[in-house]
Amino acid sequence: MTQIRLDQYSQAEYDRGKPGWYCLIWWFVQGTVFRFSLHNMYGWRRFLLKLFGANIAPGARVRASAKFTYPWKVTIGEHSWIGDDVEFYSLDEIIVGSQCVVSQNTYLCTGSHKLSDPTFGLITKPIVIKDGAWIASDVFVYPGITIHELAVAGARSTITKDIPRNEVHIGFPAAFHKHRFPEAETQSPPAVHIVK
């Protein structure tokens, strides 16, 4: 006899942020006028995402096949690129900084379930991708992860831990591979003190 009781699963404590009918309208819009918009209609897709509550900066480029569960929980900074078939499983907040690349087929997962809970209780944690980071193609990012400035998640990696600034992590699970840029190039210039 199994100990799992999916018949008792409940999302009563989870807040989607919008009522069910609003979510249905978004999913319809996403599956039609968003999904079938032409390749270079980035402004149109930014408009639709903002219309449904996303915080999308000017110059952000989102491809038509990208998917957003709840766009009102998503922030994308200036001149960031979101590739084909990227999945924003935004049960919790997903923040993408400026000048970031999230490449094709990446899955940003903010939701999971309690492993030892017979009723499979829902867990959500935010994902933060800081300025200048690159998530390469077909990467899976676990809930609660922060990918720091200039960091890289290598193609087809599984990210189970935060990636520090300017580090390249690859593999399953991902581990440190090298620094993206020479460390001296990424340091802030020393403060200048003027003596009077």
Side-chain angles (χ1 to χ4, degrees), residues 33-86:
V33 294
F34 187 98
R35 177 67 178 87
F36 295 110
S37 57
L38 297 177
H39 168 78
N40 63 347
M41 294 176 67
Y42 296 111
W44 170 243
R45 292 189 287 275
R46 284 195 302 269
F47 167 76
L48 291 174
L49 287 166
K50 289 173 77 170
L51 185 66
F52 282 86
N55 183 4
I56 307 292
R61 294 187 167 202
V62 178
R63 296 297 291 269
S65 57
K67 296 178 183 176
F68 300 80
T69 303
Y70 303 135
W72 48 92
K73 295 184 181 231
V74 171
T75 297
I76 301 174
E78 293 183 355
H79 305 295
S80 286
W81 300 350
I82 309 301
D84 285 310
D85 298 305
V86 171

